[in-house]
């Protein structure tokens, strides 16, 4: 060994040569390396694809969000209204009013209200034009209970703005009933109410932001809240008000009482129930069993909601998915069930219905004293 070490890389034999060759190869790879990147064309194509996907999905997402928000707002409003009427019922202030204005002033004591509009200034509280079913309705011509289809009430409509932003038109039934000793009577026969969960904001359309209870049987002459395959349906309502018979025989589900018989004939009822008969009241609300949606009509609604064509009036269908949000038609979100106008002849305590769930729908029957059912009338 000399006084100075050999320079790095020097050596003897094959080992040194291999080291030099490996080093040379490494240097060569570094020299030939090039960075990769997207071209302008690739970026533009990617942006175009993102734009197309966004254009296809965002409107659907926005529509679903709007429908859900309308349904939620309607549920909250109806719960607050029911709570207020329960308090009025308990305080014996639900019935006994001769005018709608008197009732609304009493309601305002239990449901926070920001504005009450007299009959000649309804548009200070409510939009001047709405879409009810497929028809545009001039609300300046909607003034009296008869414009809600309640010809016998004889009262005027009063406008109301509630503190939560909901606007409403209310007609009161002077024959409203109550039971101050019962917390289950909410006075659903007391008022017809058309309300808009978004106030003056659009779309002002039935089944969307515009909702009504079952006593709004028509609107300014239009009785069609929504239409499916040419069939006109009124606004759905929860049948939570009952008819009480004078002398219904529990063994035959019929009555020999003249008033009971006249009622049955008027509304097309074959049977009665000796107690709270919610089915009979639903038939009365629609103007008779023949004017209630029949089992075939409920199958039509089911096919529309689930996006199918194979649901028949007496079939059970499973593994389904919601295609049309029921709240857009005025129903609650699943689960719920709807009475048909068809009574059961095998068990007179029952009437046929259809159940709606998030992933299935079934036909069946329910006791006439069940207050959780919904009903929908057939429009003209």
């Amino acid at each position: 060994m000399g006084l100075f070490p050999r320079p790095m890389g020097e050596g003897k034999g094959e080992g040194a040569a291999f080291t030099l060759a490996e080093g040379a190869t490494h240097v060569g790879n570094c020299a030939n390396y090039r960075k990769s990147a997207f071209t302008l064309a690739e970026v533009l194509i990617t942006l175009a694809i993102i734009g197309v996907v966004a254009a296809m999905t965002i409107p659907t997402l926005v529509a679903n969000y709007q429908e859900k928000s309308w349904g939620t707002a309607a549920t909250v409003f109806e719960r607050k209204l029911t709570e207020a009427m329960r308090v009025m019922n308990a305080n014996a202030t639900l019935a006994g009013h001769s005018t709608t204005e008197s009732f609304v002033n009493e309601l305002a004591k239990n449901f926070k209200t920001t504005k009450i509009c007299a009959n000649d200034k309804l548009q200070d509280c409510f939009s001047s034009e709405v879409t009810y079913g497929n028809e545009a309705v001039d609300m300046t011509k909607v003034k009296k209970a008869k414009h809600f289809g309640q010809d016998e009430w004889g009262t005027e409509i009063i406008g109301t703005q509630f503190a939560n932003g909901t606007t409403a038109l209310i007609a009161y039934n002077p024959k409203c009933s109550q039971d101050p000793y019962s917390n289950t009577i909410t006075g659903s026969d007391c008022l017809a109410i058309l309300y808009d969960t978004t106030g003056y904001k659009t779309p002002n359309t039935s089944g969307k932001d515009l909702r009504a209870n079952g006593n709004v049987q028509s609107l300014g002459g239009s009785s069609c809240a929504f239409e499916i395959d040419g069939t006109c349906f009124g606004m759905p309502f929860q049948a939570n008000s009952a008819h009480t018979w004078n002398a219904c025989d529990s063994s035959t589900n019929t009555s020999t009482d003249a008033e009971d018989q006249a009622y049955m004939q008027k509304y097309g009822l074959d049977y009665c129930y000796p107690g709270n008969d919610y089915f009979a009241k639903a038939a009365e609300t629609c103007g008779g069993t023949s004017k209630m949606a029949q089992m075939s009509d409920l199958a039509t609604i089911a096919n529309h909601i689930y996006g199918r064509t194979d649901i028949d009036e007496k079939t059970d269908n499973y593994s389904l998915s919601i295609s049309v949000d029921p709240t857009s038609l005025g129903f609650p979100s699943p689960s719920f069930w709807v009475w048909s106008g068809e009574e059961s002849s095998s068990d007179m305590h029952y009437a046929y219905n259809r159940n709606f769930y998030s992933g299935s729908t079934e036909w069946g029957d329910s006791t006439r004293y069940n207050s959780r059912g919904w009903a929908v009338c057939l429009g003209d």
Side-chain angles (χ1 to χ4, degrees):
M1 178 179 294
L3 296 176
F4 304 100
R6 285 194 296 269
M8 184 178 296
E10 288 188 13
K12 295 182 180 179
E14 295 178 357
F18 176 81
T19 303
L20 289 172
E22 182 178 339
T25 300
H26 179 71
V27 173
N29 286 341
C30 289
N32 295 328
Y33 176 75
R34 293 186 304 168
K35 292 183 177 179
S36 61
F38 292 112
T39 64
L40 177 60
E42 290 172 330
V43 172
L44 293 176
I45 291 172
T46 302
L47 292 175
I49 293 173
I50 293 174
V52 170
V53 172
M56 294 174 61
T57 59
I58 290 178
T60 301
L61 293 174
V62 171
N64 290 340
Y65 171 77
Q66 287 180 327
E67 288 185 358
K68 186 175 182 180
S69 63
W70 292 327
T72 300
T75 299
V76 171
F77 174 78
E78 289 170 2
R79 184 175 66 247
K80 289 183 177 180
L81 178 63
T82 298
E83 291 172 353
M85 294 182 70
R86 285 184 186 277
V87 173
M88 293 173 67
N89 179 69
N91 294 335
T93 59
L94 189 63
H97 304 278
S98 59
T99 66
T100 302
E101 185 177 9
S102 173
F103 170 82
V104 170
N105 286 331
E106 188 65 35
L107 176 65
K109 298 176 183 179
N110 302 281
F111 195 158
K112 191 172 182 180
T113 302
T114 56
K115 191 174 185 180
I116 295 175
C117 299
N119 181 258
D120 59 345
K121 295 182 179 180
L122 294 179
Q123 271 54 64
D124 289 347
C125 281
F126 207 81
S127 300
S128 60
E129 186 174 291
V130 304
T131 301
Y132 194 78
N134 295 326
E135 297 184 26
V137 179
D138 182 0
M139 298 302 293
T140 63
K141 299 179 180 179
V142 177
K143 295 287 187 180
K144 298 181 179 294
K146 68 179 182 179
H147 296 135
F148 282 166
Q150 298 295 350
D151 296 347
E152 299 178 359
W153 289 10
T155 50
E156 295 182 331
I157 291 174
I158 297 295
T160 308
Q161 287 186 348
F162 295 96
N164 65 352
T166 299
T167 60
L169 296 180
I170 298 174
Y172 178 75
N173 179 10
K175 297 180 180 179
C176 167
S177 61
Q178 67 180 7
D179 180 4
Y181 300 101
S182 171
N183 195 37
T184 61
I185 304 285
T186 60
S188 59
D189 61 337
C190 291
L191 77 158
I193 178 169
L194 177 75
Y195 64 95
D196 191 336
T197 60
T198 61
Y200 288 103
K201 296 180 181 178
T202 56
N204 298 330
T205 300
S206 61
K208 294 184 178 179
D209 57 340
L210 190 67
R211 307 294 175 97
N213 72 347
N215 291 326
V216 179
Q217 297 181 2
S218 62
L219 184 60
S222 175
S223 60
C224 184
F226 62 92
E227 185 176 326
I228 302 174
D229 295 340
T231 300
C232 177
F233 296 94
M235 183 65 71
F237 62 96
Q238 190 165 20
N240 55 9
S241 181
H243 174 73
T244 302
W245 301 89
N246 294 327
C248 183
D249 188 334
S250 60
S251 61
T252 62
N253 289 99
T254 58
S255 175
T256 57
D257 179 81
E259 185 177 348
D260 285 349
Q261 290 181 340
Y263 184 92
M264 294 175 73
Q265 183 176 6
K266 181 177 181 179
Y267 297 115
L269 294 161
D270 294 325
Y271 307 106
C272 58
Y273 176 76
N276 289 331
D277 195 334
Y278 292 94
F279 174 78
K281 189 64 175 182
E284 177 187 340
T285 300
C286 287
T289 55
S290 64
K291 295 183 179 180
M292 295 175 69
Q294 306 300 299
M295 288 300 291
S296 59
D297 299 312
L298 297 183
T300 297
I301 294 174
N303 278 307
H304 182 69
I305 288 176
Y306 297 106
R308 302 289 288 263
T309 59
D310 58 343
I311 299 174
D312 295 325
E313 56 184 281
K314 290 186 178 180
T315 60
D316 298 332
N317 301 77
Y318 304 98
S319 300
L320 305 177
S321 59
I322 298 294
S323 178
V324 175
D325 189 342
T327 63
S328 68
L329 306 178
F331 293 105
S333 295
S335 304
F336 64 95
W337 56 270
V338 184
W339 255 318
S340 75
E342 302 176 29
E343 298 171 274
S344 172
S345 58
S346 59
D347 191 336
M348 290 78 77
H349 286 181
Y350 290 77
Y352 293 117
N353 66 353
R354 175 161 287 278
N355 300 287
F356 293 81
Y357 306 104
S358 59
S360 64
T361 179
E362 302 169 352
W363 79 281
D365 52 24
S366 182
T367 53
R368 301 167 70 107
Y369 54 82
N370 195 327
S371 63
R372 298 192 303 273
W374 283 72
V376 58
C377 309
L378 297 175
D380 299 326

